[in-house]
């Protein structure tokens, strides 16, 4: 049906093509939405951020963005969403601190698929509650992009709010549904979004939850978040940001012996993973310079609580997957 990219649509590769796309979409959004109200789940990822920025431009305060902090976001992400969208772009932004809710639901759950199901279902529940608090919403903005349509019938796994109950029937607003990821980034840049939002590496919907392997505990999750922040900082400082496809840390639920201040410790290892890929179906290992690995290791061992060992995962996909769960 209509969900096929028009053959005449030019690939958006430049700022001026992006500006033309933005003008066209702003007009189309105004036509579709009229004086109606729109709701958008804003994760802070590039797709939903670009949709938010387009909607702010088109319909301003007819838009309400909901940012759900499920406690599995990277360090600084919720703060950046608030800064960019509420403070700078003056959007109506509902920030939902659902950290305890998610972590309580996940307590003791070690099966990876069960963890994903809980995170997905709880996200829908939180979003539904917020939607019910708002009156007169007719439209639902979604960051669907063209690969989502090609690969999975338009169902976006990581911010799919398609599971909302029957009585919350919204008309969908999907302004970037015919764009490929690289085009979304060009449009995001033209919309003035910050580089670290526009050029973000892929990040799974269940977030750091799949990198805190096994049953999630708050202290081990903090070790994932803090080590990930150090890795990203050091990759950025060495010019690897934007060059390596995906890089992150994992903290498995195992302990080993170490020694600190002349005392034995019984702590977790942090695993570093840095891979290159085109479409995530296969991945090769980034040859990170040894000196950089050493620097990151020393920082993690000095700064991250509960960690006494750092490892580098050399396994390509296949045989391994990119994430550990
Ligand atoms: P794997 O681990 O399967 O990952 O090699 C391939 C790519 O998909 C991402 N990934 C996910 N993305 N929800 C998502 O939105 C998920 O549950 C999920 N699991 C993995 C992963 O980060 C990698 O880029």
């Amino acid at each position: 049906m209509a969900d096929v990219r028009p053959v005449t649509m030019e690939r958006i590769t430049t700022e001026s093509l992006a500006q033309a796309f933005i003008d066209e979409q702003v007009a189309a959004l105004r036509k579709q939405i009229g004086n109606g109200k729109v709701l958008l789940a804003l994760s802070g990822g590039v797709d939903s951020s670009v949709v938010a920025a387009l909607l702010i431009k088109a319909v301003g305060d007819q838009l309400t963005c909901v940012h759900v902090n499920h406690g599995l976001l990277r360090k600084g992400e919720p703060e950046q969403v608030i800064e960019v969208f509420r403070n700078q772009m003056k959007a109506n932004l509902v920030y939902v601190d659902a950290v305890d809710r998610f972590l309580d639901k996940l307590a003791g759950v070690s099966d990876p698929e069960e963890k994903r199901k809980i995170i997905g279902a709880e996200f829908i529940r939180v979003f539904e509650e917020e939607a019910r608090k708002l009156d007169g919403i007719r439209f639902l903005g979604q960051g669907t992009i063209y690969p989502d349509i090609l690969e999975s019938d338009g169902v976006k796994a990581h911010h799919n709010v398609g599971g909302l109950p029957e009585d919350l029937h919204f008309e969908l607003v999907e302004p970037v549904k015919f764009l490929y990821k690289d085009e979304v980034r060009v449009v995001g840049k033209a919309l003035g979004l910050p580089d670290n939002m526009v050029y973000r590496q892929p990040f799974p919907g269940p977030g750091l939850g799949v990198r805190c392997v096994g049953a999630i505990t708050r202290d081990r999750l903090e070790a994932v978040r803090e080590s990930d922040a150090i890795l990203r900082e050091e990759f950025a400082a060495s010019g690897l940001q934007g060059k390596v496809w995906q890089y992150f840390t994992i903290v498995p639920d195992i302990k080993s012996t170490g020694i600190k201040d002349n005392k034995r410790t019984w702590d977790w290892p942090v695993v570093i993973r840095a891979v290159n890929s085109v479409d995530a179906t296969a991945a090769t290992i980034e040859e990170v310079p040894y000196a950089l690995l050493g620097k990151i290791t020393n920082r993690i061992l000095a700064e991250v609580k509960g960690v006494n060992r750092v490892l580098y995962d050399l396994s390509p996909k296949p045989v391994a997957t990119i994430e550990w769960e």
Side-chain angles (χ1 to χ4, degrees):
M1 41 165 261
D3 270 353
V4 179
R5 178 172 165 129
V7 281
T8 51
M9 196 171 150
E10 196 173 347
R11 191 89 181 198
I12 302 169
T13 51
T14 63
E15 160 110 31
S16 63
L17 288 169
Q19 282 303 344
F21 174 84
I22 292 166
D23 293 344
E24 192 184 291
Q25 282 309 315
V26 164
L29 287 168
R30 286 187 181 144
K31 190 161 172 234
Q32 182 186 3
I33 295 163
N35 57 8
K37 288 188 187 170
V38 194
L39 188 60
L40 174 73
L42 176 58
S43 67
V46 59
D47 306 336
S48 64
S49 297
V50 166
V51 171
L54 279 170
L55 281 165
I56 292 164
K57 219 173 160 64
V59 298
D61 62 9
Q62 289 161 249
L63 170 72
T64 301
C65 301
V66 176
H67 178 64
V68 178
N69 181 359
H70 51 27
L72 306 168
L73 298 169
R74 287 174 288 197
K75 191 171 178 174
E77 281 183 339
E79 293 82 357
Q80 188 183 30
V81 168
I82 292 171
E83 173 57 27
V84 170
F85 292 99
R86 183 185 285 163
N87 300 350
Q88 293 172 20
M89 295 195 172
K90 311 291 175 209
N92 293 321
L93 174 73
V94 179
Y95 168 76
V96 189
D97 179 348
V99 176
D100 287 341
R101 235 176 117 154
F102 277 81
L103 296 187
D104 288 351
K105 275 254 151 63
L106 286 163
V109 181
S110 56
D111 180 74
E113 288 319 308
E114 192 56 29
K115 284 166 70 178
R116 276 188 171 76
K117 265 192 221 146
I118 290 171
I119 296 164
E122 199 57 20
F123 182 86
I124 302 282
R125 224 165 287 143
V126 173
F127 190 76
E128 178 196 341
E129 285 172 20
E130 294 306 317
R132 288 195 192 284
K133 287 183 197 162
L134 300 163
D135 274 340
I137 302 281
R138 219 185 105 200
F139 300 92
L140 183 67
Q142 286 226 293
T144 313
I145 65 170
Y146 205 42
D148 300 327
I149 293 177
L150 296 178
E151 286 157 25
S152 54
D153 292 328
V155 176
K156 183 151 209 158
H158 56 285
H159 31 96
N160 172 27
V161 281
L164 287 171
E166 287 278 298
D167 66 312
L168 280 180
H169 237 27
F170 301 118
E171 186 180 319
L172 291 185
V173 175
E174 298 176 299
V176 297
K177 73 174 177 181
F178 291 140
L179 302 194
Y180 289 96
K181 197 78 176 190
D182 54 310
E183 296 177 286
V184 180
R185 294 193 206 278
V186 180
V187 171
K189 182 89 184 137
L191 283 162
L193 293 173
D195 277 4
N196 68 344
M197 216 168 225
V198 170
Y199 299 110
R200 266 157 74 113
Q201 46 171 323
F203 188 60
L208 301 180
V210 295
R211 298 170 183 171
C212 188
V213 181
I216 297 171
T217 58
R218 287 170 197 250
D219 46 3
R220 201 155 47 84
L221 182 60
E222 264 333 282
V224 180
R225 194 176 346 255
E226 291 299 324
S227 56
D228 171 77
I230 291 171
L231 180 73
R232 286 190 289 134
E233 221 177 281
E234 292 300 331
F235 266 42
S238 323
L240 287 177
Q241 181 178 291
K243 292 199 180 120
V244 182
W245 193 75
Q246 197 172 14
Y247 46 95
F248 53 88
T249 60
I250 302 117
V251 184
D253 190 10
I254 53 169
K255 287 192 169 180
S256 70
T257 311
I259 186 146
K260 195 176 187 182
D261 302 330
N262 285 325
K263 279 198 211 97
R264 279 182 177 263
T265 60
W266 181 241
D267 281 332
W268 304 298
V270 162
V271 180
I272 297 173
R273 189 127 175 83
V275 299
N276 288 305
S277 179
V278 176
D279 58 6
T281 56
T284 55
I285 303 310
E286 172 71 18
E287 288 188 25
V288 180
Y290 218 78
L292 177 60
L293 282 176
K295 188 172 181 207
I296 295 167
T297 299
N298 290 339
R299 275 200 63 191
I300 290 174
L301 292 178
E303 296 172 38
V304 183
K305 259 173 82 180
V307 171
N308 63 1
R309 225 171 261 279
V310 177
L311 316 171
Y312 189 57
D313 184 349
L314 286 167
S315 327
K317 175 181 181 178
V319 170
T321 50
I322 295 174
E323 303 289 349
W324 271 42
E325 288 193 333

